[in-house]
Amino acid sequence: METAARDAALFEDADFAADDSSLFSDYATPLSQLVSGITWLRPQHICRDPCLFPESRPEAYPKQGILGDCWLLCACNMLLKSQALLEQVMPPRQCVWGERGYRGEFRFRFWHCGVWREVLVDDRLPCTNNTLCFSRCHSTSAFWVALLEKAYAKLHGSYEKLWAGQVCEAVVDLSGGVAERWSLKSAVDTPTGRSLLPELSEEMRKRSYISCCVHSTPAGVSVLGEFHALSVEEWTDVNTTSGGRVRLLRIRNPWGRRSWGGAWNEGGVGWSSLDPSFSQDLLARTQQGEFWVDETEFQQDFDEVTVGYPISDDFHLQSIYTGSSLPHTKHMCGRWVKGHSAGGCRNNSSYGNNPKFWLRVGEAGEVLMTLLQCRWSSQRSYTQLPPGGSKSTAQHTQYQAIALHVWKVDRKHFNLVQTLNAEPCASSHTHAYEREVVVHTHLSAGLHLLVPSTFTQGAEGDFLLRVYATSPVGLSAVKVKAEPQCVGGDWETVMVSGRWTAGSTAGGGRNFPSHGQNPRVPLTVTYDPGGTNVEVTLRQHSSENDLQAIGFHIYKVTDSEAVSMVISGAVQPSVSCVPHAHSQEVSVRCRLPPAGYIILPSTYQPDCSAEYTLTIKHRIHRKALSSQECLGQTIQEISHVSVMSL
């Protein structure tokens, strides 16, 4: 009776109930076979003395159950390498079983779209035959993995939503940092076009979090199947008895068993090439579920790696390329809106409509930029935490193909059209169906233009732009004049300088017979996407005390009339900037149909001498680029399941 009363007083999470609604979303995975076969038990009903963490660290490592979330469990290994990260995700001093104040509730934090979000769960866990059916620790009495998995499932909407995913996404969600995916099969997919292995220094191999995965069944290891993720725990170079040198990698399988039959498994032929003392030492380092492979095996049998950037205890990123600290950070949110700021890739004339950002770099140095598309995976509400960063139900397959391009610019002489038609100084190379794309580069001091884009024009979505650098940086949105009625195309700018000369080209306004003597500036309109497509500005170069009354008229002409057309008071202009004004500058914005035109700038009174500059902006189809963009490889989801004996 006392036990029943205590259990009745424990917290029960109504937002993530202990029933099928928390297990399933659409019954589209093999998990649907468990319908009505699950019981929910608290840890004290599963084992005698439950705890969060066992005394032995190897016993704390995750072990996969019948849920295909090896991608999440590999990222959980990262938390065991950093106490600071572990306490960020799982706040310390929570009341556990047997302690006074225990209520059966646990808090976790996940970094989600720029914000650390707190998720509260009860400790009722899905079981079959009184045993956890999903993830657990190697120690059957430790429950930090099972509880974290439940909180992450709540964040996503259900356990089923964790079936298939990317290690890099889980690494970011558990750290708030940055992770990169590198192919081991195609050099063009790597950041430098070279093999991964030489890229990482010995220090970075120790400090970075590294995972590897197979996309297809490795030769002779049929039990692994396809799309399975594993963790790289150690890299070491050892001397062979023949005087050579071999690089070995210790791999951890989240299934908790080795499942590997290569040359370096226990009893494999590889060990005979080493001094017996070295062999014994290396084999003694392996824990349950771990095995060794050499560099050649690794390259041949694994398809890609995920590398998580190291994070210091004060939460500064460290470059995996140089080891430098990247303490200066800036984050900004943005949105692609159809018909306004969803310009698509550089193949489209509307590319310039995409959101644009100024990045100011204080000193030349290393810069890491990421573009993350924000899609909420659950409609539930969570507590937003200060500060750790700034709704839809989309799955990975609904990600947009995204990319980030960077140009060095001189703000004083900035021309958007010319800039976007030039080669960027850095980019993510191709649009990819990834949640986040990463650009690592070195930038000179000064101003840079950042343009995030989707591959498809009109594709909508929210995004987060992140910048990490070795020197101070500034990040701000490029402010542009609103063009709500105009879609497609880019602005081309032409500047023409001239002079009104008394007795020659100073014809005055339309009230005077000499009006036609004013300078004539040709304008050809070729593109009318709707809305404003022409902007003309006339500026006189006179002192404030000598300003003339200035204005201009735009006349429609044929090609043959551009020079010879007689302009009198009877000829009506298509557009006029009147009345003439005693100001330094006058302008007009208008919509003109495609045709030939001439612009007549004038002073109001004839025979008034002055110099001027006429600036003409008009919409054009964007110039073709020398290289056309193509989509990157489709994202591969890591989802392999281990059949667990219960």
Side-chain angles (χ1 to χ4, degrees), residues 379-642:
Q379 296 180 350
R380 308 177 194 272
S381 60
Y382 305 98
T383 303
Q384 180 170 319
L385 300 177
S390 70
K391 289 188 176 180
S392 75
T393 57
Q395 287 281 66
H396 299 296
T397 53
Q398 293 178 302
Y399 285 151
Q400 301 289 349
I402 59 173
L404 178 64
H405 291 78
V406 184
W407 286 267
K408 181 72 169 69
V409 297
D410 181 348
R411 195 166 190 171
K412 293 182 178 180
H413 303 92
F414 174 66
N415 182 292
L416 180 62
V417 176
Q418 293 178 359
T419 299
L420 298 184
N421 277 283
E423 283 298 311
C425 63
S427 75
S428 53
H429 303 299
T430 62
H431 284 72
Y433 288 103
E434 303 274 4
R435 188 179 76 169
E436 185 171 30
V437 294
V438 179
V439 178
H440 171 268
T441 188
H442 286 77
L443 295 179
S444 59
L447 201 64
H448 297 77
L449 179 69
L450 276 56
V451 182
S453 64
T454 60
F455 186 79
T456 305
Q457 182 182 8
E460 295 192 313
D462 298 302
F463 63 83
L464 175 69
L465 190 61
R466 301 194 281 165
V467 179
Y468 302 85
T470 53
S471 66
V473 293
L475 185 65
S476 60
V478 175
K479 296 180 180 180
V480 295
K481 295 180 180 179
E483 297 285 342
Q485 297 180 331
C486 193
V487 296
D490 278 331
W491 288 98
E492 183 173 73
T493 302
V494 177
M495 300 180 69
V496 178
S497 296
R499 179 178 178 81
W500 296 292
T501 302
S504 175
T505 58
R510 291 183 66 230
N511 294 344
F512 302 94
S514 57
H515 174 66
Q517 297 175 8
N518 283 296
R520 302 186 180 197
V521 179
L523 166 65
T524 302
V525 177
T526 59
Y527 186 48
D528 178 17
T532 300
N533 64 343
V534 174
E535 179 179 341
V536 179
T537 301
L538 175 63
R539 181 179 183 83
Q540 59 178 310
H541 302 295
S542 303
S543 65
E544 291 289 340
N545 296 328
D546 296 321
L547 291 179
Q548 304 291 338
I550 60 172
F552 58 85
H553 302 273
I554 303 176
Y555 297 89
K556 185 177 180 180
V557 297
T558 64
D559 291 341
S560 59
E561 293 176 330
V563 177
S564 60
M565 178 180 178
V566 176
I567 297 178
S568 64
V571 179
Q572 294 298 316
S574 299
V575 174
S576 295
C577 181
V578 290
H580 287 64
H582 285 86
S583 64
Q584 201 83 56
E585 186 176 281
V586 295
S587 64
V588 69
R589 306 175 78 233
C590 60
R591 180 182 180 183
L592 292 174
Y597 300 86
I598 56 173
I599 305 172
L600 265 70
S602 65
T603 58
Y604 178 73
Q605 294 288 344
D607 295 329
C608 295
S609 297
E611 293 182 348
Y612 66 84
T613 296
L614 198 64
T615 302
I616 308 166
K617 299 181 180 180
H618 62 104
R619 286 276 182 177
I620 61 168
H621 278 291
R622 199 166 163 274
K623 298 175 182 178
L625 299 174
S626 58
S627 60
Q628 295 296 297
E629 291 196 55
C630 60
L631 281 169
Q633 294 184 351
T634 302
I635 191 170
Q636 298 284 2
E637 294 185 341
I638 307 303
S639 59
H640 201 78
V641 63
S642 169

Side-chain angles (χ1 to χ4, degrees), residues 102-157:
Y102 162 72
R103 294 191 62 249
E105 65 180 31
F106 290 87
R107 292 176 294 116
F108 292 85
R109 299 187 185 115
F110 302 104
W111 189 91
H112 206 55
C113 294
V115 175
W116 281 101
R117 296 186 171 270
E118 184 171 285
V119 180
L120 179 69
V121 293
D122 62 38
D123 60 355
R124 295 176 294 173
L125 299 169
C127 298
T128 56
N129 300 328
N130 295 326
T131 303
L132 292 175
C133 60
F134 298 149
S135 301
R136 55 192 179 186
C137 294
H138 280 276
S139 169
T140 56
S141 61
F143 289 89
W144 80 274
V145 170
L147 291 169
L148 183 149
E149 181 185 56
K150 180 175 183 177
Y152 201 60
K154 179 179 179 180
L155 181 71
H156 284 73

Side-chain angles (χ1 to χ4, degrees), residues 186-366:
S186 175
V188 297
D189 288 340
T190 64
T192 60
R194 298 191 297 273
S195 164
L196 156 79
L197 300 178
E199 294 300 321
L200 294 176
S201 66
E202 183 176 355
E203 179 191 4
M204 285 300 99
R205 292 176 206 152
K206 293 178 180 178
R207 292 182 51 80
S208 304
Y209 169 70
I210 304 172
S211 174
C212 56
C213 75
V214 290
H215 292 169
S216 57
T217 304
V221 198
S222 58
V223 67
L224 271 187
E226 298 180 334
F227 305 123
H228 185 47
L230 307 93
S231 296
V232 179
E233 296 296 320
E234 180 184 357
W235 310 48
T236 186
D237 294 328
V238 295
N239 296 322
T240 65
T241 54
S242 63
R245 195 165 180 82
V246 61
R247 174 170 293 169
L248 297 179
L249 297 87
R250 180 162 54 90
I251 311 295
R252 178 184 296 277
N253 187 347
W255 292 349
R257 58 183 187 270
R258 294 188 174 97
S259 304
W260 196 262
W264 298 91
N265 67 336
E266 285 188 271
V269 298
W271 300 109
S272 61
S273 66
L274 303 183
D275 182 279
S277 61
F278 283 144
S279 299
Q280 292 173 8
D281 177 61
L282 294 175
L283 287 170
R285 297 184 198 176
T286 58
Q287 305 293 330
Q288 186 180 5
E290 295 183 349
F291 56 90
W292 290 94
V293 298
D294 62 34
E295 181 178 14
T296 301
E297 271 187 295
F298 188 73
Q299 294 276 22
Q300 290 177 348
D301 291 334
F302 290 89
D303 292 282
E304 70 174 31
V305 295
T306 294
V307 183
Y309 282 65
I311 299 177
S312 64
D313 289 345
D314 54 359
F315 291 93
H316 289 157
L317 252 63
Q318 184 178 3
S319 170
I320 59 176
Y321 298 94
T322 65
S324 300
S325 177
L326 304 172
H328 302 281
T329 68
K330 293 292 180 181
H331 298 177
M332 283 201 72
C333 296
R335 179 169 175 78
W336 295 292
V337 180
K338 185 177 182 180
H340 176 63
S341 60
C345 69
R346 298 178 70 213
N347 296 343
N348 301 309
S349 61
S350 57
Y351 177 75
N353 293 346
N354 282 302
K356 294 170 284 292
F357 297 85
W358 293 123
L359 173 64
R360 186 177 295 278
V361 179
E363 300 175 5
E366 193 173 359

